[in-house]
Amino acid sequence: MSKEWPLWEVFIRGQHGLNHRHVGSLHAPDAEMAIMNARDVYTRRNEGVSIWVVRSSEITASSPSDKGPLFEPSNSKVYRHPTFFDIPEEVGHM
Amino acid sequence: MYAQLVKSEGMKAREEMSPEEIAFQERIDRGEKIEPKEWMPEGYRKTLIRQIGQHAHSEIVGQLPEGNWITRAPTLERKAILLAKVQDEAGHGLYLYSAAETLGVSRDELMELLHAGKMKYSSIFNYPTLTWADIGAVGWLVDGAAIMNQVPLQRTSFGPYSRAMIRICKEESFHQRQGYAIMMKMAQGTPEQKRMAQDALNRFWYPALMMFGPSDKDSVHSAQSMAWKIKINTNDELRQKFVDQTVPQAEYLGLTVPDPDLKWNEDKGGYDFSEPDWSEFFEVIAGNGPCNKDRLGARVRAWEDGAWFREGLMAHAEKQAARRAPVAAE
Ligand SMILES: [Fe+2]
Ligand SMILES: [Fe+2]
């Protein structure tokens, strides 16, 4: 049985200077081929100006079961949002 | 549809569900997306692998009837357009295989199941494309039917499947429009070209209706899939929508839908139409359509003939990596 090409995650930066964004994955034998394939699959309609690829096996992800302990602490910190503060209308835009 | 007869697990009554299953169903009911590493019932995972796998296979096998005309397209521009369309379908296959892989099955495993005849693809791709007008009919009707099914699936509960559908839907309308543009050209052409267009519609109409799968009264697997939101509309709902949308498009072309019983029904606000011949549908699904052997044969041949290439590139990559790796201290 032949060996399957490894899986890569593909990240693309669009035209407008935003962050690279995860767009999907693909199989390729090495990083160079992964970039070529990503060009062919994920930028057929001018979707990008820059491509990153990374071996899927190299990604460490937070665990879904930790969702609570990991993200809950920020729920109680509503003062981190500007809307927490009432600024009188007379002050103008802030 | 592209996944026509996906066997789903039996529907469970709420009293029979475990606490996890209840919590899972509630998440889906709230419209939350389920992501790959999260807990899910085994039946959900298995049904999705079947459905997404079947959908992926359909995209890949679906390249064959159109690929048949790439070298014979009537102009260089048409050739470039068809090539781009068929290339998109390869991409669709890739997005979907990737979504299936997040559920713990490898792409090679899915390929092997397809090649062994243990997984299906849409019945529509077992019909031949005999003339250039068929390429028009395929884009117009087959991609049109696919869109009907894929648009609601953008809201499916499984995150990777939903994201794949969103990407695919962005690309599909080009497919349908290029097909309709071919039909317009043919229908407005010489009498002979118009005859070809009519003939293509005659041959593809009922197979396109079959794409939505059996009638609801015979569709045994729907309830659980709908509860899980991996199926959003029933087969008959989508078929009706498709007919209502397509008939005026045929009229614009000056072509006749090959159904003597087709007529507008004011009360339901839609057309009454004849059902396809379901015995033909089940024959095609069982492997006895006009092109089943050809299609699967072409896939298996491509896979086997490409083995040396896949292995060669892998061997090269390993060699390069070994060369780059720091030499171990002696
Ligand atoms: Fe497609
Ligand atoms: Fe398409």
Side-chain angles (χ1 to χ4, degrees):
Chain A
M1 162 82 226
S2 65
K3 231 195 299 167
E4 195 166 11
W5 289 350
L7 193 64
W8 301 77
E9 299 303 321
V10 180
F11 300 80
I12 294 198
R13 192 206 320 274
Q15 308 284 345
H16 307 293
L18 297 176
N19 289 330
H20 284 77
R21 201 166 65 89
H22 183 240
V23 293
S25 35
L26 50 76
H27 288 273
D30 56 32
E32 290 88 328
M33 285 296 293
I35 297 237
M36 292 310 287
N37 291 351
R39 195 270 320 256
D40 289 344
V41 182
Y42 292 108
T43 67
R44 288 200 299 281
R45 291 178 177 81
N46 277 331
E47 289 96 334
V49 294
S50 164
I51 300 173
W52 288 349
V53 292
V54 58
R55 284 281 280 261
S56 309
S57 56
E58 299 292 313
I59 289 185
T60 309
S62 63
S63 136
S65 55
D66 285 349
K67 224 194 242 166
L70 205 55
F71 300 112
E72 234 133 61
S74 80
N75 283 349
S76 55
K77 298 176 181 55
V78 283
Y79 45 79
R80 285 175 173 171
H81 297 278
T83 44
F84 179 75
F85 306 93
D86 285 325
I87 305 291
E89 200 129 324
E90 309 83 282
V91 178
H93 176 74
M94 184 180 283
Chain B
M1 162 41 34
Y2 273 20
Q4 286 161 318
L5 273 177
V6 178
K7 205 161 128 270
S8 172
E9 307 300 307
M11 177 89 176
K12 269 193 186 171
R14 205 176 161 92
E15 309 82 73
E16 309 169 315
M17 288 186 185
S18 67
E20 286 116 315
E21 287 170 326
I22 291 176
F24 179 81
Q25 188 60 50
E26 282 169 350
R27 290 189 59 199
I28 289 182
D29 295 341
R30 278 197 301 272
E32 282 180 33
K33 293 278 183 255
I34 308 301
E35 296 297 337
K37 298 271 154 53
E38 294 169 347
W39 187 89
M40 61 185 76
E42 214 23 47
Y44 178 84
R45 199 180 67 84
K46 280 197 187 138
T47 308
L48 267 176
I49 289 177
R50 267 184 229 127
Q51 177 169 335
I52 302 175
Q54 206 181 108
H55 197 154
H57 296 328
S58 299
E59 301 286 351
I60 297 302
V61 177
Q63 294 180 107
L64 297 169
E66 290 178 295
N68 185 33
W69 279 89
I70 290 175
T71 55
R72 286 176 284 160
T75 67
L76 190 55
E77 185 184 56
R78 285 288 173 198
K79 179 175 177 164
I81 292 169
L82 184 57
L83 202 53
K85 197 266 186 196
V86 173
Q87 189 191 17
D88 275 354
E89 304 300 2
H92 296 178
L94 173 72
Y95 308 155
L96 287 159
Y97 285 124
S98 300
E101 281 177 292
T102 65
L103 290 160
V105 63
S106 77
R107 187 170 70 184
D108 282 9
E109 282 174 72
L110 290 172
M111 290 286 179
E112 276 157 24
L113 288 168
L114 171 70
H115 297 160
K118 291 181 183 151
M119 275 184 96
K120 309 228 172 283
Y121 55 88
S122 177
S123 57
I124 190 71
F125 302 118
N126 292 311
Y127 291 86
T129 44
L130 303 176
T131 74
W132 175 249
D134 288 11
I135 298 306
V138 165
W140 172 35
L141 302 172
V142 176
D143 289 83
I147 292 171
M148 216 71 295
N149 173 261
Q150 291 175 154
V151 165
L153 275 177
Q154 293 178 104
R155 292 180 283 118
T156 187
S157 60
F158 186 55
Y161 193 24
S162 157
R163 293 189 283 273
M165 281 298 124
I166 291 170
R167 286 197 74 83
I168 287 176
C169 285
K170 275 195 199 139
E171 299 179 346
E172 285 292 0
S173 96
F174 148 56
H175 298 177
Q176 193 186 15
R177 293 172 74 135
Q178 65 85 34
Y180 195 70
I182 293 174
M183 290 307 274
M184 286 197 295
K185 202 81 187 178
M186 300 291 285
Q188 291 156 10
T190 63
E192 203 188 345
Q193 286 173 320
K194 186 164 181 184
R195 261 199 311 280
M196 283 166 73
Q198 181 63 55
D199 174 58
L201 173 57
N202 292 349
R203 283 180 291 107
F204 276 94
W205 177 253
Y206 288 106
L209 295 188
M210 292 177 198
M211 288 176 69
F212 299 96
S215 161
D216 292 351
K217 52 184 193 301
D218 306 316
S219 184
V220 278
H221 308 299
S222 284
Q224 179 62 78
S225 289
M226 291 186 86
W228 280 333
K229 287 191 194 158
I230 56 186
K231 187 178 172 89
I232 312 285
N233 302 92
T234 73
N235 298 349
D236 286 335
E237 273 166 27
L238 290 174
R239 193 166 12 248
Q240 180 71 53
K241 259 182 101 171
F242 175 75
V243 170
D244 293 345
Q245 174 191 284
T246 308
V247 169
Q249 296 167 350
E251 281 167 0
Y252 179 85
L253 294 171
L255 300 179
T256 311
V257 172
D259 179 357
D261 296 325
L262 181 84
K263 73 169 186 301
W264 179 256
N265 178 333
E266 192 61 51
D267 294 335
K268 73 172 182 188
Y271 287 91
D272 290 332
F273 58 92
S274 305
E275 299 233 341
D277 174 357
W278 291 117
S279 62
E280 175 182 323
F281 170 76
F282 287 108
E283 275 298 299
V284 176
I285 289 280
N288 305 317
C291 301
N292 295 56
K293 299 211 166 50
D294 262 28
R295 300 298 187 230
L296 201 55
R299 284 312 312 157
V300 171
R301 214 163 40 247
W303 182 250
E304 285 172 357
D305 290 354
W308 69 272
F309 180 75
R310 293 191 301 275
E311 283 157 21
L313 284 186
M314 200 61 235
H316 175 74
E318 277 163 359
K319 213 157 132 193
Q320 295 290 103
R323 212 169 274 165
R324 268 196 304 270
V327 185
E330 284 174 40

